[in-house]
Amino acid sequence: RIADKSEVPIILYNVPGRTGVDMTPITAGQLSAHPRIVGLKEATGDVMRVAPLRELCGPNFLLYSGDDGTAVDFVLAGGDGTISVTTNVAPVMMAEVMACARVGDAARARELNAQLELLHRRLFLQSNPIPVKWALEQLGRAGPGIRSPLTPLESEFHQPLLEALDVAGVR
């Protein structure tokens, strides 16, 4: 019923770590039949789900990884791209990684992604979006402060996140 009322395209959101419920590929396939539901953010980290999702949802249904650590393999397995936390901090690098993966250049995609792996992990030192907002502030791309109910990044995570920004080459 929500999709029937929507005036904009809908992307389904399968992030069991946040929702506590896993949307199965069968359910996604059934929902993909609705003309306003155009894609899925799949954040289980299970790359083996790409093939059944593609089969059940069809070739024109957009499949996006929602797990930065497995996004390259997700796209190499037939996904369309990523809805990514890391992209907020390293947009040019993530775009290049995804472009390489989309054309099947696995070696180059993995080589570029290796530089981002520490950042992928450390952007989750605390609940998202706390670390990414702090990182953007450090890069001069966002002002200070964070709205309730979020809290500032704990000081013990400042140096590890700065290190990850340096390793990624974005600071």
Side-chain angles (χ1 to χ4, degrees):
R1 290 184 242 175
I2 294 170
D4 290 333
K5 300 290 184 189
S6 177
E7 295 180 11
V8 297
I10 295 171
I11 295 178
L12 303 171
Y13 187 80
N14 187 31
V15 187
R18 284 202 177 248
T19 64
V21 177
D22 179 22
M23 183 186 317
T24 67
I26 292 170
T27 300
Q30 292 169 341
L31 293 169
S32 74
H34 194 286
R36 287 196 184 93
I37 299 176
V38 299
L40 168 68
K41 175 183 176 178
E42 171 66 30
T44 61
D46 183 358
V47 176
M48 300 304 291
R49 292 176 79 141
V50 176
L53 282 165
R54 181 60 70 209
E55 182 178 332
L56 292 163
C57 297
N60 297 320
F61 192 76
L62 299 169
L63 296 177
Y64 296 113
S65 170
D67 179 65
D68 289 346
T70 59
V72 167
D73 290 327
F74 186 95
V75 173
L76 290 169
D80 295 296
T82 184
I83 297 175
S84 159
V85 172
T86 303
T87 298
N88 289 286
V89 177
V92 173
M93 290 182 68
M94 281 297 293
E96 188 173 354
V97 168
M98 288 294 105
C100 291
R102 285 194 56 148
V103 298
D105 188 349
R108 182 72 175 139
R110 288 187 176 118
E111 175 188 338
L112 292 168
N113 192 58
Q115 191 176 344
L116 294 170
E117 286 176 353
L118 185 63
L119 186 58
H120 293 325
R121 290 190 307 275
R122 293 206 176 153
L123 284 172
F124 289 90
L125 287 169
Q126 279 187 254
S127 182
N128 180 43
I130 294 168
V132 74
K133 287 182 173 285
W134 186 87
L136 290 170
E137 180 185 345
Q138 302 312 300
L139 296 172
R141 294 194 218 149
I146 195 162
R147 290 183 305 206
S148 183
L150 299 175
T151 59
L153 183 68
E154 293 178 23
S155 61
E156 68 187 88
F157 299 129
H158 291 186
Q159 194 55 42
L161 190 46
L162 288 172
E163 177 190 14
L165 293 170
D166 290 340
V167 169
V170 295
R171 184 172 82 118

